[in-house]
Amino acid sequence: MLRISCRCGAAGAEAHGDAPQAARLYGAADAGRAALGSPLLPEERARRARMDAMLLERLGEGPLARAAEGGGALEIPEASREALAALAVFGGAKPA
């Protein structure tokens, strides 16, 4: 659930021009995936590659890496709050 929330929040943030928050939430999703030993699904790879390229173009390598690392360092409750907040702001969902 956390990975899905983070990915959706990241996509919403990027769609609304908040590239740093998108990178942070993708970092959180990646960390969750790595902790579970769950690879990126084949159908997600192309979309993720496009998003990574867009974030790299908008932020640059250093800021992108720092934002993603910051997201990856989040504890689960904090990552969940950030993802749900992004969904509420950018995706119309209501935080729990």
Side-chain angles (χ1 to χ4, degrees), residues 1-90:
M1 176 66 178
L2 174 63
R3 291 179 307 152
I4 293 168
S5 295
C6 287
R7 281 193 337 248
C8 291
E14 176 55 31
H16 287 83
D18 192 346
Q21 183 64 14
R24 185 171 169 86
L25 289 173
Y26 271 122
D30 289 346
R33 185 181 299 105
L36 294 173
S38 177
L40 193 63
L41 297 174
E43 59 270 15
E44 295 176 327
R45 288 186 188 137
R47 182 183 52 79
R48 179 59 190 269
R50 287 189 305 273
M51 183 65 71
D52 287 345
M54 189 169 21
L55 291 171
L56 180 60
E57 181 180 317
R58 290 187 182 184
L59 296 174
E61 189 173 329
L64 173 57
R66 286 189 292 279
E69 288 169 13
L74 294 173
E75 296 292 328
I76 291 173
E78 188 177 358
S80 295
R81 280 191 299 275
E82 285 195 26
L84 291 174
L87 285 170
V89 170
F90 302 120

